Amino acid sequence: QVQLVESGGGLVQPGGSLRLSCAFSGGAFNTYAMAWFRQAPGEEREFVAGVRRVGGGTAYADSAKGRFTISKDNAKNTVDLQMNNLEPEDTAVYFCAADGTSLFGAPIKTSEYNYDYWGRGTQVTVSS
């Protein structure tokens, strides 16, 4: 059974940085595309960033481009999200997700319905 555990959330001032990490277990990590989603209070869950199974191909939401970087380490079974220049609008619960049906070289999926496994989330609060 695949399990995902997020860590690294917290309270940060506007303009600050945080690095989220997701630990994967229970499967062959290099066969899963991975993504980070987020959900703010009263809002729907939205795609933030994704990375392919292997090869390092990535995709970002417009709100994340230029500020966030996703990275996948197939040796350590982790996927990280480096978030810089954070804004109050980035406040949300951040979720790690795994897609076990992704084909090699296929586009990264941005709909939550394409992801099979989810972590419980980690809270990120950006406030002065």
Side-chain angles (χ1 to χ4, degrees), residues 26-46:
F29 189 53
N30 62 357
T31 66
Y32 285 80
M34 301 295 295
W36 286 92
F37 287 76
R38 69 186 183 186
Q39 187 169 21
E43 302 289 333
E44 295 185 351
R45 192 176 299 186
E46 64 176 1

Side-chain angles (χ1 to χ4, degrees), residues 38 40 46 63-64 67-68 83-94 123-126:
R38 69 186 183 186
E46 64 176 1
S63 60
R67 300 187 301 129
F68 295 1
M83 305 187 294
N84 299 327
N85 194 21
L86 284 161
E87 304 167 350
E89 293 75 21
D90 296 316
T91 296
V93 178
Y94 283 71
Q123 176 70 47
V124 171
T125 302
V126 185

Side-chain angles (χ1 to χ4, degrees), residues 4-59:
L4 304 175
V5 179
E6 303 97 335
S7 61
L11 173 65
V12 63
Q13 292 187 343
S17 298
L18 279 177
R19 188 176 184 90
L20 306 183
S21 187
C22 173
F24 174 101
S25 62
F29 189 53
N30 62 357
T31 66
Y32 285 80
M34 301 295 295
W36 286 92
F37 287 76
R38 69 186 183 186
Q39 187 169 21
E43 302 289 333
E44 295 185 351
R45 192 176 299 186
E46 64 176 1
F47 174 83
V48 176
V51 59
R52 286 179 173 163
R53 293 167 48 182
V54 295
T58 58

